[in-house]
Amino acid sequence: MSRNEDRAGRDTDLEKVRARYGLFAVVVSNLAIAAVAIVGVWQLDGDKGVIIGILTAAFTAVSSLTTAYLGIKAVSNTARSIALGDGAARRHPEATPAAPPAQGAS
C-alpha cells in the first residue's frame, strides 16, 4: 500500500470516529435536556404558563444543538471532498458562450 493510500485510510477512520462521537454527544445532550425538562415539568404541578416556557426552551435547545451539529458536519464533509479533489468531478461543465451572429455586409 502506498503512503497516500495509507493516509487516506487513516483519515477515513478518523472521520468515522469523529462522526460517531459527535453524534453520540448530540444524542446524550438531547437526552439530558429532555430529562431536565421532564423533571422541571413534573415539579411544577400544573402551572401551565411555566410548563409551556420550559417545553419551548427545551425544544429550542434540542433543535438548535441538532441543527448546529448537522450543519457543521455537512460543511466539514463538503470541505473535505473539495480538498481531496472530488469537487471538480461533480461540477457540471460550463456551457460555452454562443458565437455572436455574423454581421452581413451592408
Side-chain angles (χ1 to χ4, degrees), residues 14-51:
L14 179 61
E15 285 299 318
K16 286 181 183 178
V17 169
R18 284 181 181 168
R20 185 176 297 128
Y21 284 108
L23 185 59
F24 177 73
V26 169
V27 169
V28 169
S29 298
N30 287 345
L31 290 175
I33 292 168
V36 169
I38 289 169
V39 169
V41 168
W42 178 60
Q43 292 292 323
L44 290 173
D45 294 326
D47 187 3
K48 290 184 179 27
V50 178
I51 289 173

Side-chain angles (χ1 to χ4, degrees), residues 31-89:
L31 290 175
I33 292 168
V36 169
I38 289 169
V39 169
V41 168
W42 178 60
Q43 292 292 323
L44 290 173
D45 294 326
D47 187 3
K48 290 184 179 27
V50 178
I51 289 173
I52 290 172
I54 288 175
L55 293 178
T56 301
F59 178 77
T60 302
V62 167
S63 63
S64 298
L65 184 69
T66 305
T67 303
Y69 171 74
L70 293 175
I72 291 168
K73 188 65 182 150
V75 169
S76 172
N77 290 344
T78 302
R80 185 172 184 270
S81 68
I82 289 172
L84 293 176
D86 295 343

